[in-house]
Amino acid sequence: MQIGFIGLGSMGAAIAMNLVESGHDVRVFNRNPARAEPLRKAGATVAASPAQAAHGAEVVFTMVSDDAALTSVTLGEAGIVAGLKPGALHISMSTISVAAAQELAARHREAGLGFVSAPVFGRPDAAASRKLFIMAAGADEYLSVAKPLLEQLGQSVGIVGAEPSQANLVKLIGNFMLSVVIETLGEACGVAGKAGIDPMHLIDLLTNATFNAPPYKIYGPLIASQRFQPAGFALPLGQKDNRLMLAAAEALGVPLPLASLVHDRFLAVRSQGIGAEHDWSAMALCALGDAGLVKQA
């Protein structure tokens, strides 16, 4: 299949490489052309703009950082919508706001194009090994095209509903739940460390008992050892998703006390100069700091 792919960060580059290795004719675009070089060597074509990457494609994927980035590569003279042929499909794998997904779905309908939201759960290593959990939503006619491609990229594809924005809301809910896990792990390690229990031993005990689940197994050791670099998911992106979750809940009239707590934790850790070089699990430094257990750099 002829496929366009826009956005070659750590996640996007791994997903695009899997599409190339699956035998698709892939044309890629990234604002920093150097990021496209490994894909070019693997057989992909490098485009000069999102519109050029979309030209002639049956499906275009995007994996970019936020609402503004997705709007930028989608709309305008050099955007995806300008390059796609009528009836073609845009699959957005980005974590964006519910409002942005609704607006983009409407713009695609006006242009006679398909739009499916398919955000993912998983870090770059999961993307590279095709172990992502993918949440997809859109009209049935477009999901029937998207699902076989998405199944080549992850270990499961969950169909959320007919409105693309529903998948984005599910992704935000999932990241909200993960952020609460990070906070509780930070607090738990703070209590254990203050009591003279090695936090790493605590995590080992609990993840081999009741808390034998990926979020605890992934984030527990990072927090217990205070090993927050390199970033598997950058702290500012986690903060962005928290803001989007709060905005979506406010629009629905739903209070989220724990999301508000996490919001303040993000602000506090960012005020200490901790940023994109740190994993979002570094938010736990607030709880560890409350216990007086933050290691000196």
Side-chain angles (χ1 to χ4, degrees), residues 218-289:
I218 291 170
Y219 293 113
L222 298 181
I223 292 166
S225 63
Q226 299 186 32
R227 190 177 72 252
F228 302 117
Q229 293 178 288
F233 181 55
L235 183 71
L237 294 179
Q239 184 179 24
K240 177 261 297 183
D241 291 352
N242 172 260
R243 289 196 301 267
L244 297 184
M245 182 72 255
L246 285 166
E250 183 173 353
L252 293 167
V254 178
L256 293 180
L258 292 178
S260 297
L261 167 66
V262 168
H263 174 268
D264 289 348
R265 291 302 213 187
F266 275 122
L267 286 177
V269 77
R270 292 298 302 278
S271 73
Q272 300 171 35
I274 296 172
E277 71 282 1
H278 285 77
D279 191 78
W280 75 319
S281 54
M283 182 187 70
L285 285 169
C286 291
L288 295 169

Side-chain angles (χ1 to χ4, degrees), residues 2-287:
Q2 188 166 341
I3 292 174
F5 201 103
I6 290 93
L8 302 175
S10 297
M11 293 291 289
I15 294 168
M17 186 66 75
N18 284 336
L19 289 169
V20 172
E21 292 176 352
S22 293
H24 297 288
D25 179 3
V26 181
R27 188 179 297 160
V28 301
F29 171 79
N30 196 70
R31 285 178 295 181
N32 178 359
R35 296 284 302 178
E37 187 59 19
L39 282 147
R40 184 191 66 77
K41 291 179 178 178
T45 302
V46 179
S49 69
Q52 189 180 91
H55 183 71
E58 299 164 75
V59 176
V60 170
F61 286 84
T62 49
M63 176 59 99
V64 294
S65 59
D66 55 26
D67 290 12
L70 184 57
T71 299
S72 174
V73 301
T74 302
L75 305 177
E77 292 182 5
I80 292 165
V81 169
L84 281 175
K85 59 188 178 183
L89 172 63
H90 174 191
I91 301 175
S92 167
M93 304 188 81
S94 306
T95 301
I96 58 169
S97 70
V98 170
Q102 291 170 336
E103 172 65 18
L104 287 169
R107 296 292 291 271
H108 283 74
R109 282 194 298 270
E110 291 168 4
L113 301 170
F115 183 70
V116 165
S117 281
V120 305
F121 291 107
R123 291 157 76 88
D125 57 343
S129 60
R130 306 182 190 232
K131 295 296 185 183
L132 296 170
F133 295 95
I134 303 172
M135 302 292 121
D140 286 343
E141 63 181 299
Y142 296 118
L143 284 174
S144 66
V145 177
K147 189 178 179 185
L149 290 170
L150 296 172
E151 287 173 339
Q152 298 174 25
L153 304 174
Q155 58 183 301
S156 73
V157 179
I159 303 302
V160 181
E163 293 297 324
S165 63
Q166 293 176 316
N168 297 104
L169 180 58
V170 168
K171 174 60 192 295
L172 293 175
I173 290 170
N175 275 10
F176 157 61
M177 294 171 70
L178 288 172
S179 72
V180 174
V181 168
I182 289 170
E183 172 64 21
T184 58
L185 283 166
E187 293 182 21
C189 288
V191 172
K194 219 44 189 299
I197 301 170
D198 179 6
M200 190 65 81
H201 186 48
L202 171 78
I203 297 302
D204 184 59
L205 290 169
L206 294 181
T207 56
N208 283 288
T210 306
F211 298 93
N212 185 8
Y216 296 97
K217 285 182 171 289
I218 291 170
Y219 293 113
L222 298 181
I223 292 166
S225 63
Q226 299 186 32
R227 190 177 72 252
F228 302 117
Q229 293 178 288
F233 181 55
L235 183 71
L237 294 179
Q239 184 179 24
K240 177 261 297 183
D241 291 352
N242 172 260
R243 289 196 301 267
L244 297 184
M245 182 72 255
L246 285 166
E250 183 173 353
L252 293 167
V254 178
L256 293 180
L258 292 178
S260 297
L261 167 66
V262 168
H263 174 268
D264 289 348
R265 291 302 213 187
F266 275 122
L267 286 177
V269 77
R270 292 298 302 278
S271 73
Q272 300 171 35
I274 296 172
E277 71 282 1
H278 285 77
D279 191 78
W280 75 319
S281 54
M283 182 187 70
L285 285 169
C286 291

